[in-house]
Amino acid sequence: MTAERVARDVGATPDAPAEPPSAAGSDAVAGSDAVAGSGESDDLRRPTAEAATTTGDARTDDTDTDDVVRLAADAAVHAGAPVAEGATTDVDLPSDDEGPSVPGRISVPAPPGAPFPRPPHTRVFTIANQKGGVGKTTTAVNLAAALAAGGSRVLVVDTDPQGNASTALGIDHHAGVASVYDVLVEDVPLVDVVHECPDIPGLTCVPATIDLAGAEIELVSFVAREMRLKRAVDAYLAETSDPPDYILIDCPPSLGLLTINAFVAGHEVLIPIQCEYYALEGLSMLLRNIEMIRRHLNPDLRLSTILLTMYDARTRLSSQVADEVRSHFSEEVLTATVPRSVRVSEAPSHGQTVISYDPASTGALAYCRAAAELATRGANAIDERTAG
């Protein structure tokens, strides 16, 4: 690297003679040459060099040399090159942890409408749709988080062997962790496998582990195998002095024995429907299965809620699907719709729900509106039944 180039970078005139650099300056210049080979050093150094020329103070030759050292060190840090020994930098680099993700228990703002009305008895929701990718797990964890942020006590039961709901709630679910598998197969009481969510007070979870993948085969020989989760939930509610206001059961994307257990254990069915055509095709099959469960195994089961997810207001298809669903299920479809949101997709990678990851995002606000509507609808329905 020539002396003229160094002088140009620090704002001196090209014709001014440059003093021989000191030992520290030589190291820094060598480091700067190494960075220059990457083709990025000119752009990286220029903002710092311009800032150095706007201080308004006359500089001595020694000060210019110090600037060269600092300049080369800054460029080396930005480009990932090693910094010369003794060189310092004042540049604040962005942290990987910047953003809404904060480890540990954090303060989640109360959603609009909080505190939500609390039901007189525990409402048990089965969140199901045999079609994958419609937002079942996302809806389960974010509705649970929004309800808990609104002052309710919520338990999420993860019955999907993938354990995605457990991941989103920050619950460890590696092999060997006490989970819903132990409840279904080993008759472990539900209270012994409940874990607290680290982010939101009032939110708990029964995790799922990979062991659950073989549970359907193991349960084949069990008597009343469809009733095992229901018995565990009923025993938990009877023995717990302070039962939760809501239990949300997240189902796998199938209609197997795990999903049947969830239907039998639930009182209400919540169906997330993606605003696309294929989601409508699978809805009729799901409704037939719910009716079959209601007739033979759980007469108290009813479809109470439908939530439209992945809604894109820019497309005519989303509006058409939403209008079609609302025309057939006007009482069950929530007014709130969940739009496509990058924040909703990012949150599980941080072990959080979108409610705690970015409470001001469109996805978080949509789930808060849905939770408020869910809580209010339930309270109104209970009041109407009581009055009647």
Side-chain angles (χ1 to χ4, degrees):
M1 182 175 183
T2 64
E4 288 79 10
R5 183 171 179 179
V6 173
R8 184 179 67 252
D9 287 339
V10 298
T13 59
D15 297 333
E19 280 196 16
S22 62
S26 300
D27 292 341
V29 171
S32 180
D33 281 339
V35 175
S38 65
E40 301 175 355
S41 60
D42 287 341
D43 292 336
L44 292 171
R45 288 197 305 272
R46 188 171 296 112
T48 309
E50 292 173 357
T53 60
T54 59
T55 59
D57 296 332
R59 296 178 178 274
T60 63
D61 292 340
D62 292 337
T63 304
D64 290 339
T65 302
D66 292 339
D67 286 342
V68 174
V69 174
R70 185 180 296 108
L71 183 64
D74 291 348
V77 171
H78 277 291
V83 181
E85 183 178 357
T88 60
T89 176
D90 296 329
V91 175
D92 294 329
L93 295 179
S95 170
D96 290 337
D97 295 331
E98 286 182 359
S101 175
V102 180
R105 179 67 57 86
I106 62 177
S107 177
V108 177
F116 298 149
R118 298 175 65 178
H121 56 77
T122 302
R123 298 176 66 186
V124 184
F125 283 89
T126 300
I127 301 178
N129 193 329
Q130 81 277 8
K131 185 181 183 304
V134 299
K136 288 187 301 298
T137 297
T138 301
T139 295
V141 298
N142 288 302
L143 270 183
L147 288 167
S152 302
R153 295 186 302 273
V154 187
L155 171 64
V156 175
V157 180
D158 189 358
T159 63
D160 188 345
Q162 298 176 90
N164 292 334
S166 307
T167 298
L169 295 177
I171 307 298
D172 194 7
H173 59 99
H174 61 76
V177 172
S179 67
V180 71
Y181 170 84
D182 302 285
V183 174
L184 294 175
V185 178
E186 305 294 340
D187 289 321
V188 174
L190 195 67
V191 69
D192 293 344
V193 297
V194 172
H195 300 258
E196 274 197 28
C197 175
D199 288 335
I200 303 177
L203 178 57
T204 54
C205 174
V206 176
T209 62
I210 193 62
D211 298 331
L212 199 59
E216 291 194 348
I217 298 176
E218 296 182 58
L219 289 173
V220 168
S221 60
F222 283 54
V223 176
R225 55 186 177 269
E226 303 91 352
M227 310 289 293
R228 296 186 70 80
L229 183 58
K230 175 180 174 57
R231 291 174 179 171
V233 170
D234 290 346
Y236 172 74
L237 295 177
E239 297 169 2
T240 305
S241 58
D242 191 18
D245 300 308
Y246 298 90
I247 296 179
L248 306 184
I249 306 175
D250 181 37
C251 297
S254 67
L255 294 174
L257 197 51
L258 293 175
T259 302
I260 292 175
N261 263 271
F263 278 136
V264 175
H267 303 155
E268 305 176 52
V269 178
L270 189 156
I271 303 177
I273 296 182
Q274 183 182 10
C275 291
E276 293 187 3
Y277 174 74
Y278 287 139
L280 293 177
E281 282 195 329
L283 182 59
S284 58
M285 181 185 301
L286 178 59
L287 294 176
R288 286 197 298 269
N289 280 276
I290 293 173
E291 180 61 24
M292 186 182 305
I293 297 293
R294 194 184 65 79
R295 285 201 311 265
H296 297 287
L297 295 171
N298 183 7
D300 296 329
L301 186 66
R302 65 186 181 90
L303 171 61
S304 67
T305 310
I306 294 177
L307 178 63
L308 298 173
T309 63
M310 304 182 192
Y311 182 82
D312 190 345
R314 300 169 301 176
T315 65
R316 200 177 309 169
L317 177 61
S318 287
S319 299
Q320 290 174 346
V321 172
D323 292 342
E324 184 76 13
V325 174
R326 286 195 170 101
S327 65
H328 290 87
F329 305 95
S330 57
E331 295 183 0
E332 291 83 4
V333 180
L334 295 179
T335 303
T337 59
V338 180
R340 291 187 179 273
S341 171
V342 175
R343 290 301 193 190
V344 172
S345 302
E346 287 176 353
S349 66
H350 296 268
Q352 293 180 319
T353 65
V354 73
I355 307 301
S356 56
Y357 178 70
D358 191 353
S361 65
T362 57
L365 295 176
Y367 275 114
C368 286
R369 288 192 295 269
E373 190 175 353
L374 186 73
T376 305
R377 279 189 176 190
N380 292 340
I382 291 171
D383 291 342
E384 291 173 3
R385 288 198 298 269
T386 303

